[in-house]
Amino acid sequence: MTSTADVVVIGGGAIGSSVAFALARRGASVTLLDASTPGRATSASAGGLWSLGESLGLGCGVILHTAQKGVGDGPAPLPRTFMDFLWASNLRFPSLAAELRTLCGIDIEAESATGLLYLVYDDEQERHASRIVEWAGSDHGQVERWTPQHVHNREPLITHDLRSAIHFPGDNQVNPMLLTEALKRGACAKGARFIAEARVRAFRCSNGRVVAVESDKGTIACGAVVNAAGAWGAQIARLASIEIPIQPVRGQIICTEALRPGTLRSNLSTRDCYILQKAHGEVIIGSTTEYCDFNTEVRYEDMCSLAAGAIRAVPALRNVTLKRAWAGLRPGTPDELPILGPAAELENFFHATGGFRTGIVAAPLTGEVVAASVLGQTPEFPIEPFLAHRFQFLTA
Ligand SMILES: Cc1cc2nc3c(=O)[nH]c(=O)nc-3n(C[C@H](O)[C@H](O)[C@H](O)COP(=O)(O)OP(=O)(O)OC[C@H]3O[C@@H](n4cnc5c(N)ncnc54)[C@H](O)[C@@H]3O)c2cc1C
């Protein structure tokens, strides 16, 4: 069966769904294809909207750094342009949540008052924390240093064995699955077509352009293609003879039984793990950050070390039952920044991948800038720092 679309978006995770929504909202005819690949990142995500915390390296960055290098100096912050990008994306959540609720009746559980609290355990971390707070400055709202007493007043269940904490009041959380479902349905409400179980197998190209996408569910003639295949982004690009350096980065994560909502008021982050209580009461403890190809196994040893980190931060978790553990594959890039916008090799081929550890918080703005770029409009945030072009020396 052959159908047609202005744009075919490949990958129905948070990023592809956001791109499809933004394109459909601008009046483009869109077909969104997804292959339900095991290990897809959005289904594994914790849903932290930690625009500052993650760009300063205090979420998965510090966990990776601790696992690879011991404690030491701590990870370097990501570039300021990217922090600005994530901040701008994060600010979109309240209005996006309202729009999606009206459009398709889904509450994406975008919490606005949790905040992220990074726990500092020792002198070395204290020095690192001081450096990054200074680096962050006050551009994006207040980053607060909290004393152990202040932490205790606000979060009585947190360990007293602390040096201090850093509070990021704007770094909240969302339900990543509901966000993605709502974006997908929102796109369909605006005229997009979603085809599930549609694995893309090949592209038909002519005169330097993709003219059709071949999938398990038929061929779609198209005006443009967006590669939003997450950790499989390099494989999709290769079908069009394009090389991009996307590498799967496994995240293993645990979920507890539901506790009374509000047991933890903040999202917590430490050098061992992060901990956040979701809207329905379960506590998520995540997550490893490992380069191990497309392996999605959950390992006992890693579960034990995440649980030990969580019990150190919140000793009462010792008495809580674990309900589930899983793993997902983040789309990693060498510089930890996404790959967005036009490919140099084919006129109408665009990337929206490399969301790495911040793909959920980045989804709203990623959708907007990629949609604008596909339609020849000026993106509201400069896309240049994120072009695939920056890796040419790696892939040549
Ligand atoms: C454990 C864990 C915790 C995380 N926590 C957070 C967090 O708290 N906050 C945050 O911002 N980010 C977090 N992330 C990162 C975030 O989840 C990802 O960056 C984001 O989900 C990437 O979305 P995506 O749409 O690019 O990829 P995915 O969600 O992986 O979607 C890619 C899609 O492409 C499809 N696909 C692949 N190949 C094909 C093909 N050939 N044809 C058709 N479809 C195909 C797959 O089926 C998949 O659905 C976390 C990730 C993990 C693993």
Side-chain angles (χ1 to χ4, degrees):
M1 183 190 82
T2 302
S3 55
T4 59
D6 293 339
V7 189
V8 172
V9 179
I10 302 166
I15 298 294
S17 301
S18 182
V19 173
F21 180 56
L23 282 164
R25 225 201 213 155
R26 287 166 156 82
S29 85
V30 182
T31 298
L32 175 62
L33 304 176
D34 191 75
S36 304
T37 315
R40 51 201 189 271
T42 301
S43 315
S45 170
L49 303 178
W50 303 337
S51 53
L52 289 192
E54 282 290 358
S55 32
L56 294 169
L58 296 184
C60 289
V62 74
I63 297 169
L64 174 66
H65 189 275
T66 307
Q68 288 187 334
K69 303 183 183 156
V71 182
D73 274 352
L78 297 174
R80 203 169 275 276
T81 332
F82 188 54
M83 186 162 99
D84 295 343
F85 182 88
L86 290 185
W87 180 259
S89 191
N90 195 18
L91 288 179
R92 290 173 164 266
F93 273 92
S95 59
L96 180 64
E99 184 180 358
L100 292 174
R101 193 180 303 114
T102 306
L103 200 55
C104 53
I106 294 179
D107 175 3
I108 63 171
E109 296 171 1
E111 293 187 1
S112 58
T114 36
L116 175 66
L117 193 59
Y118 177 72
L119 306 183
V120 175
Y121 289 139
D122 59 32
D123 288 347
E124 206 154 11
Q125 278 188 296
E126 186 77 4
R127 283 191 291 277
H128 180 59
S130 300
R131 280 198 301 275
I132 55 177
V133 168
E134 193 182 324
W135 188 87
S138 54
D139 289 3
H140 297 311
Q142 222 180 341
V143 177
E144 302 158 351
R145 293 302 293 273
W146 283 10
T147 62
Q149 188 58 50
H150 192 126
V151 173
H152 185 61
N153 293 345
R154 156 103 181 194
E155 294 278 4
L157 293 182
I158 290 182
T159 177
H160 293 202
D161 192 9
L162 277 185
R163 290 300 306 269
S164 67
I166 312 176
H167 187 235
F168 302 97
D171 282 8
N172 299 304
Q173 59 164 307
V174 72
N175 182 318
M177 300 292 286
L178 291 176
L179 167 68
T180 305
E181 188 59 28
L183 287 167
K184 215 175 272 170
R185 288 193 196 189
C188 293
K190 299 275 180 193
R193 195 160 65 112
F194 171 59
I195 310 181
E197 311 299 334
R199 178 165 298 281
V200 170
R201 301 282 180 187
F203 296 113
R204 289 186 201 162
C205 296
S206 172
N207 298 325
R209 297 175 63 83
V210 179
V211 293
V213 177
E214 293 179 6
S215 83
D216 288 352
K217 292 279 182 80
T219 299
I220 302 141
C222 62
V225 169
V226 177
N227 171 16
W232 299 269
Q235 298 174 0
I236 290 294
R238 208 163 292 133
L239 294 177
S241 303
I242 295 171
E243 291 296 327
I244 50 170
I246 295 286
Q247 212 183 347
V249 185
R250 179 170 66 177
Q252 301 177 59
I253 193 161
I254 318 174
C255 172
T256 72
E257 63 182 323
L259 309 181
R260 184 177 44 77
T263 300
L264 292 174
R265 291 166 63 193
S266 313
N267 304 313
L268 307 180
S269 164
T270 76
R271 68 179 171 216
D272 312 309
C273 67
Y274 55 75
I275 306 162
L276 63 171
Q277 189 174 22
K278 304 304 288 184
H280 300 286
E282 295 93 347
V283 174
I284 302 275
I285 302 165
S287 77
T288 62
T289 304
E290 314 156 81
Y291 292 87
C292 53
D293 207 9
F294 286 92
N295 180 338
T296 54
E297 284 165 9
V298 173
R299 297 190 337 152
Y300 179 75
E301 186 188 355
D302 295 319
M303 297 301 98
C304 291
S305 108
L306 288 173
I311 290 167
R312 177 172 187 186
V314 182
L317 287 176
R318 190 184 300 281
N319 304 315
V320 167
T321 306
L322 295 183
K323 197 167 80 175
R324 206 158 71 85
W326 64 91
L329 300 171
R330 304 174 184 90
T333 60
D335 58 6
E336 305 188 14
L337 305 184
I339 300 180
L340 309 179
E345 296 85 345
L346 280 175
E347 206 179 297
N348 58 346
F349 193 101
F350 296 80
H351 298 294
T353 180
F356 200 25
R357 59 185 199 237
T358 53
I360 303 300
V361 58
L365 189 55
T366 300
E368 290 298 322
V369 299
V370 172
S373 162
V374 171
L375 299 177
Q377 300 161 357
T378 306
E380 63 194 81
F381 193 99
I383 212 166
E384 286 70 22
F386 309 124
L387 291 172
H389 194 63
R390 70 186 190 275
F391 295 118
Q392 247 180 5
F393 69 98
L394 287 179
T395 52

